[in-house]
Amino acid sequence: MKCNRLVEVGRRQFLRGGVLSAAGAAAATVLPAAPAQADPGLAMLSYPSARLANIADLVVNEPLDIGYPDEDSPGVLIKLGAAVEGGAGPDGDIVAYSVLCPHKGYYMSYHAADKTLNCPGHFSRFDCEKGGQQIWGHATQNLPQFALRVDEKGDIYAEGADELIYGRLSNVLA
């Protein structure tokens, strides 16, 4: 008899939970969703500002080798030719990324046809038009993109990175 009462309580709780879930789902379809508010500074790793190049040094869809946050950390600066989210410059099309694959640190190469950075080690691929988003492979994080600022003379400065740079202890030590 005691066991039957526990089953009844379990059924009642199950039904109550189902009703509450259905009510929540109905409210979610009726009420407008709040827009996502991402804080771009929240995940930014602070590195010193550094001049990378001038806009005049860039050719559309040809990467320019850079070192940021220092010369021991290879990266590329690319003028994509079309405005992208996170792009800098008057056309909003200049981006910069680390070229160390976040999976195992292999040096990646730029593929101009689809505007991706590709890892020769385990074939991870990252979309340069979508903030370094991983589109294929073994990596478990997106590619570090450098925050850029362009001054009135056209000089391009890096101001930080939005992901951890492979192999850098400074990512985690303050």
Side-chain angles (χ1 to χ4, degrees), residues 72-154:
D72 294 329
S73 186
V76 290
L77 185 64
I78 309 165
K79 182 170 178 58
L80 296 170
V84 294
E85 188 173 337
D91 300 324
D93 66 342
I94 300 171
V95 294
Y97 296 98
S98 171
V99 292
L100 296 175
C101 181
H103 177 232
K104 293 284 184 179
Y106 286 93
Y107 281 68
M108 294 186 294
S109 59
Y110 182 70
H111 187 253
D114 61 1
K115 298 180 181 174
T116 59
L117 282 162
N118 301 290
C119 178
H122 299 103
F123 310 111
S124 289
R125 300 179 68 213
F126 303 88
D127 191 334
C128 293
E129 295 178 302
K130 299 220 182 337
Q133 181 179 3
Q134 180 188 352
I135 54 177
W136 184 260
H138 292 296
T140 58
Q141 74 180 50
N142 294 330
L143 195 58
Q145 181 174 6
F146 303 137
L148 300 177
R149 173 179 58 87
V150 179
D151 71 11
E152 64 283 345
K153 296 179 290 188

